[in-house]
């Protein structure tokens, strides 16, 4: 009898899985708000904008009866509506109330904290320099907390150089919660160098989850040839993780699902890193690890750089 063919040996691959990664407290809360609202009110429950920027999460909630729309105009009368984790301009809850809609706010409390700081700076007579990315829903929401013309968007160091305020102008700065810690630090230093009178926020606006995920991926990236960031192309915090991994010396690839992985990418690669944006579920991390195990002979290790214990309360209407 002929000897069986030896099974082809798989390429060995070391996997470094960053921790913390994935869901933050604001995302847990936002998803729970939609799920509880569906339990309490029944389907359909409308959600203005993706509750968090992840297709897998949105599709799972759609399957349970949530309907996602971009504007309040698309919400029929008589059904409850939820505002996404990224926050909304003040005009949105106002209009919902005027229409008699039942609404729930899934804005992350850390985004709401920036909203309140913006209001306070305006009350104190200061113009706000807001560091963020144009067109992002969180930026639109924060601009919508203050009167038009009282806040200026700063995206880059070049934007700081172009500001035309004087030494006597009362200024404050605030930022989006999901920015690059390093880039934002450089922008803040440039603002403070030009305007020493500028008032800083009481505490950092970039949230704990954003900075912890960046620190974790920064630690593993120099050890990896390739880092997979699981997240969506419209997820600000996920895109920042790709930049951090890339700058720390790895080739970095944003993927939404395991099926995005092209095995050719792994040719000659000895160590792969994995992280996930704050809106990417752990199920997708497990799916990616399982796919890599199909392709390679994987030795996986979790690299923990911080522990997170933060949780946020649900809105009163949903606590039974
Ligand atoms: O695009 P973002 O990173 O602001 O949002 P995403 O990916 O939905 O993450 C969770 C919500 C974050 C709000 O601050
Ligand atoms: Fe809140 Fe930060 Fe999560 Fe955004 S990334 S939802 S600000 S905890």
């Amino acid at each position: 009898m002929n000897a069986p063919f030896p099974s082809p040996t798989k390429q060995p691959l070391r996997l470094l899985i960053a921790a913390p990664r994935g869901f933050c407290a604001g995302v847990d809360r936002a998803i729970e708000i939609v799920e509880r609202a569906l339990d309490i009110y029944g389907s359909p429950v409308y959600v203005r904008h993706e509750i968090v920027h992840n297709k897998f999460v949105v599709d799972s909630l759609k399957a349970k009866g949530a309907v996602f729309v971009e504007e309040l105009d698309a919400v029929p009368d008589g059904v409850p509506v939820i505002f996404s984790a990224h926050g909304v301009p003040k005009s949105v809850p106002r209009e919902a109330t005027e229409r008699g809609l039942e609404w729930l706010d899934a804005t992350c409390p850390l985004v709401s904290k920036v909203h309140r700081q913006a209001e306070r700076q305006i009350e104190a007579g200061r113009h706000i320099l807001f560091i963020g990315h144009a067109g992002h829903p969180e930026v639109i929401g924060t601009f919508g907390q203050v009167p038009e013309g009282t806040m200026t968007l700063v995206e880059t160091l070049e934007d700081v150089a172009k500001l035309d305020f004087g030494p006597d102008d009362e200024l404050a700065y605030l930022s989006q919660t999901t920015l690059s810690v390093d880039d934002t630090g450089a922008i803040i230093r440039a603002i403070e160098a030009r305007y020493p009178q500028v008032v800083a926020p009481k505490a950092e606006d970039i949230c704990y989850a954003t900075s912890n995920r960046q620190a974790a991926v920064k630690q593993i990236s120099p050890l990896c040839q390739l880092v997979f960031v699981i997240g969506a192309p419209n997820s600000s915090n996920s895109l920042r993780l790709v930049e951090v991994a890339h700058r720390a010396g790895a080739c970095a690839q944003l993927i939404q699902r395991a099926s995005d992985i092209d095995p050719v990418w792994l040719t000659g690669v000895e160590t792969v890193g994995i992280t996930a944006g704050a809106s990417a579920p752990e199920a997708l991390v497990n799916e990616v690890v399982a796919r890599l195990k199909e392709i390679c002979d994987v030795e996986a290790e979790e690299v923990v750089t911080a522990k997170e214990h933060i949780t946020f309360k649900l809105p009163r209407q949903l606590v039974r």
Side-chain angles (χ1 to χ4, degrees):
M1 200 172 98
N2 291 334
F5 287 112
S7 57
T9 48
K10 289 188 197 169
Q11 164 193 343
L13 187 71
R14 186 170 172 228
L15 259 193
L16 298 180
I17 307 173
R21 62 177 176 277
F23 279 8
C24 59
V27 166
D28 277 334
R29 175 179 180 270
I31 294 171
E32 196 170 350
I33 288 174
V34 181
E35 286 174 339
R36 287 212 184 191
L38 282 163
D39 283 347
I40 293 170
Y41 302 104
S43 143
V45 162
Y46 275 63
V47 184
R48 184 191 174 280
H49 193 68
E50 291 186 332
I51 187 74
V52 298
H53 292 145
N54 188 276
K55 186 174 155 31
F56 182 89
V57 170
V58 167
D59 287 347
S60 321
L61 293 171
K62 271 186 192 167
K64 294 179 184 171
V67 178
F68 290 85
V69 296
E70 275 313 305
E71 289 302 338
L72 222 46
D73 298 353
V75 179
D77 287 336
V79 294
V81 59
I82 298 169
F83 308 139
S84 79
H86 318 93
V88 287
K90 270 181 189 282
S91 56
V92 172
R94 192 189 310 132
E95 191 192 322
T97 303
E98 282 165 7
R99 281 185 52 195
L101 294 174
E102 179 100 36
W103 55 267
L104 289 160
D105 191 2
T107 303
C108 176
L110 299 181
V111 173
S112 300
K113 191 189 84 182
V114 180
H115 290 179
R116 301 290 75 81
Q117 289 187 76
E119 286 186 310
R120 277 201 292 277
Q121 295 299 358
I122 298 303
E123 278 160 24
R126 301 186 182 107
H127 185 95
I128 298 168
L129 305 175
F130 189 78
I131 310 165
H133 296 296
H136 189 280
E138 184 179 328
V139 175
I140 295 169
T142 307
F143 268 71
Q145 305 302 311
V146 298
E148 217 176 312
T150 58
M151 199 185 263
T152 300
L153 184 65
V154 174
E155 289 189 83
T156 60
L157 286 170
E158 292 71 46
D159 289 347
V160 178
K162 281 189 238 150
L163 293 170
D164 65 354
F165 296 97
D168 298 327
D169 286 319
E170 301 262 21
L171 297 170
Y173 73 81
L174 296 173
S175 90
Q176 197 177 331
T177 56
T178 52
L179 299 181
S180 151
V181 171
D182 293 340
D183 289 351
T184 306
I187 291 175
I188 290 169
R189 285 191 292 280
I191 290 174
E192 289 178 335
R194 273 204 77 186
Y195 303 110
Q197 78 275 27
V198 74
V199 173
K202 278 208 189 88
E204 173 79 88
D205 288 335
I206 295 178
C207 76
Y208 80 95
T210 298
S211 35
N212 284 350
R213 279 150 194 67
Q214 287 178 21
V217 81
K218 203 180 221 181
Q219 176 138 335
I220 62 165
S221 295
L223 309 170
C224 304
Q225 288 86 48
L226 175 61
V227 172
F228 288 125
V229 177
I230 303 165
N234 59 341
S235 165
S236 168
N237 77 87
S238 305
L239 294 175
R240 304 297 76 83
L241 293 174
V242 175
E243 290 168 359
V244 170
H246 184 69
R247 287 181 198 167
C251 186
Q253 182 73 44
L254 184 76
I255 55 171
Q256 304 206 58
R257 304 273 322 225
S259 52
D260 292 345
I261 297 172
D262 183 341
V264 169
W265 296 341
L266 301 166
T267 310
V269 169
E270 287 172 5
T271 308
V272 161
I274 296 183
T275 185
S279 44
E282 186 66 8
L284 298 183
V285 175
N286 294 336
E287 186 189 89
V288 166
V289 173
R291 175 70 185 126
L292 292 173
K293 284 183 175 169
E294 278 171 14
I295 307 169
C296 299
D297 182 11
V298 167
E299 193 189 310
E301 181 191 334
E302 187 173 62
V303 180
V304 182
T305 52
K307 295 270 189 195
E308 294 178 343
H309 306 283
I310 294 179
T311 54
F312 295 127
K313 281 191 195 140
L314 292 169
R316 266 177 297 110
Q317 304 99 297
L318 298 179
V319 182
R320 299 252 146 136

